[in-house]
Amino acid sequence: MPSDPSAPPDDRSLFPSFEGPAGFDRIRADLEAFRPAILAVCQRHGLAAGGLSAFARGTNVVVSNDAGQIIKLFPPFLRHQFEAERLSLARFHGKVPAMTPELLQESELDGWPYLVMSRLPGRPLEEVWPALGDAERVEALARIGEIMRAAHALPTDGLESIDLGWDAFVERQIAGCESRHRRMGLPGHLVSQLPSYLESARPLLPRSVVPVLLTGEYTPENLLVTRTGERWSVTGMIDFADACLGPREYDLLGPCLFLAAGNADLLRAFLCSYGYPLTDLTPSLSRKLMALSLLHRYSNLRFQLRMDGWESRVSSLAELEQRIWPFSA
C-alpha cells in the first residue's frame, strides 16, 4: 500500500537544518522543507492538511491550509517573537475596530514554538495602494489612525515581558544609530549628520513613558483591505511578532513613512484621526518623529520611505524631516 502523503514521517527529522538566521531566511518560505513539521502540527490538532501554501514574505514560517487556518512556526532563536504574538493576539482580538486573527492553538514541536490562528479575509493594502484615489487614501489613513487609537487604549497588564524598557532602549539605539544607517545605505552626507541631529532632538524624545501596546506593524503589508462596491476599506491587521510595550509615538512611523510619505493631507487625516489636534502638528512633532524613525530598531529609510528619489534630493536630515512631515510653525 502507498503511504499517506498527508502523514508526517516516522523519524524525528521534522525540521530542516540551516546555518544561523541568514540560512533560515533563505529556506523560510520553502514549503517542502517544512512540510513534515506542518503535517505534524496538523495531525496533533486535527487540522486540515489540504491546500497547504507558504507565504513568501515575513520573518517566520507561515503556512495556510484550505480550512481558513494559519500555522506559524518560529525558529528557536525567534522565541521572543512567538511570545510577543501569543500575548498580543489575545489582547487585540475583538477589542479594536478591525479584524485580527483568533488564536486557536499554541504549543511547541521539537523546540520550535508555533501558533495556529484563523486566516482573515482581504488583501494587503500594499497590493491596492497604487490604484487608490486621493479620497480613498485619505479614508484609509483616517481608518488606520482610528484603529491605532483603540489599540493604544488597551490595558497592558500581563504584558510586562514584552516591554521595551524604553529609556535604556533608546540610549542603545542612539549609540548604534550611525553604524546601523551606514550598513543600511543611508547617503554618507546624511550619516555624518546623525550625531548632531540626534543631539538636537534629545529633549523631544519620549522619556519615562507610560507604555502602550505597540505592534510596530501598521505597514501596508500587514494591513488588510476588503472591497465594498467600488471602494476599498481597511478591515484587518495581521502579524504581531514585533509587538511590544513602549511610547505611542513609536507606532506612528509606519503609516507616515510607507503611506503618507510627505503628503500633508494624508498626514493630517492619519494624525488627527489618531487624536492629535491640528495645533499639535508642529515642527517639534516633525523633529520628534524623524528622530524616532532614525532610532527605530528596524530603521531602513531607503526601504521604508516611499518618496521617489529622496536620497539625491535632500542635503540634510533637517530638510528630509521637513519633506516627510511638512508641518509649518
Side-chain angles (χ1 to χ4, degrees):
M1 291 285 291
S3 61
D4 181 355
S6 68
D10 292 333
D11 63 44
R12 300 301 296 164
S13 301
L14 295 177
F15 292 94
S17 60
F18 55 88
E19 291 288 335
F24 170 70
D25 194 54
R26 285 192 290 270
I27 65 170
R28 172 188 47 75
D30 182 352
L31 176 60
E32 292 312 308
F34 290 96
R35 185 181 293 274
I38 295 296
L39 293 178
V41 171
C42 291
Q43 186 179 70
R44 177 183 284 184
H45 298 290
L47 307 177
L52 297 178
S53 177
F55 287 73
R57 296 179 177 176
T59 305
N60 298 282
V61 180
V62 183
V63 174
S64 64
N65 64 14
D66 57 11
Q69 295 154 339
I70 296 288
I71 300 165
K72 190 166 185 176
L73 302 171
F74 299 78
F77 66 86
L78 290 179
R79 182 177 289 273
H80 62 285
Q81 292 198 349
F82 162 78
E83 292 294 339
E85 187 143 20
R86 178 182 71 83
L87 290 169
S88 56
L89 276 174
R91 192 60 53 100
F92 278 113
H93 188 64
K95 300 298 196 319
V96 294
M99 291 182 288
T100 60
E102 180 183 3
L103 179 58
L104 304 174
Q105 301 286 346
E106 57 178 276
S107 192
E108 186 172 306
L109 185 67
D110 286 4
W112 287 59
Y114 66 84
L115 301 172
V116 180
M117 63 193 85
S118 59
R119 182 170 187 175
L120 301 184
R123 294 174 59 185
L125 178 57
E126 179 90 328
E127 294 180 3
V128 305
W129 184 255
L132 296 185
D134 292 343
E136 282 181 294
R137 290 185 172 192
V138 166
E139 184 179 317
L141 265 295
R143 177 69 168 160
I144 295 166
E146 176 189 354
I147 295 167
M148 191 183 295
R149 184 175 72 247
H152 289 174
L154 293 173
T156 58
D157 55 297
L159 303 179
E160 293 79 10
S161 64
I162 61 171
D163 196 323
L164 277 177
W166 178 255
D167 288 352
F169 170 82
V170 78
E171 289 302 325
R172 291 194 300 272
Q173 295 304 104
I174 290 172
C177 188
E178 192 171 350
S179 61
R180 175 176 180 82
H181 285 286
R182 187 174 290 109
R183 292 195 309 275
M184 294 295 106
L186 188 70
H189 67 286
L190 299 181
V191 172
S192 66
Q193 296 171 27
L194 282 168
S196 59
Y197 184 87
L198 292 175
E199 191 60 31
S200 74
R202 264 185 180 274
L204 302 173
L205 294 174
R207 295 288 184 175
S208 302
V209 299
V210 176
V212 301
L213 178 55
L214 310 170
T215 75
E217 294 290 356
Y218 291 94
T219 62
E221 286 188 8
N222 294 319
L223 292 165
L224 301 181
V225 293
T226 54
R227 191 168 186 170
T228 304
E230 296 300 314
R231 300 185 71 82
W232 290 95
S233 300
V234 177
T235 53
M237 58 181 185
I238 57 173
D239 193 352
F240 301 99
D242 289 319
C244 57
L245 299 187
R248 61 188 66 245
E249 296 94 336
Y250 199 66
D251 257 354
L252 301 176
L253 308 176
C256 289
L257 297 174
F258 283 93
L259 297 172
N263 182 301
D265 290 338
L266 296 181
L267 285 168
R268 281 194 296 271
F270 169 56
L271 292 171
C272 292
S273 177
Y274 176 77
Y276 280 90
L278 282 172
T279 52
D280 283 359
L281 306 187
T282 66
S284 291
L285 181 60
S286 301
R287 179 63 50 102
K288 178 193 292 188
L289 294 177
M290 183 69 203
L292 290 173
S293 297
L294 294 166
L295 296 173
H296 195 282
R297 56 182 169 175
Y298 301 127
S299 182
N300 181 358
L301 293 182
R302 294 183 65 205
F303 169 70
Q304 294 157 343
L305 180 53
R306 304 292 174 87
M307 293 172 60
D308 291 340
W310 64 266
E311 298 99 319
S312 61
R313 295 206 306 266
V314 298
S315 59
S316 68
L317 289 170
E319 182 185 351
L320 182 59
E321 165 201 311
Q322 292 159 14
R323 285 177 179 260
I324 301 173
W325 290 282
F327 304 144
S328 60

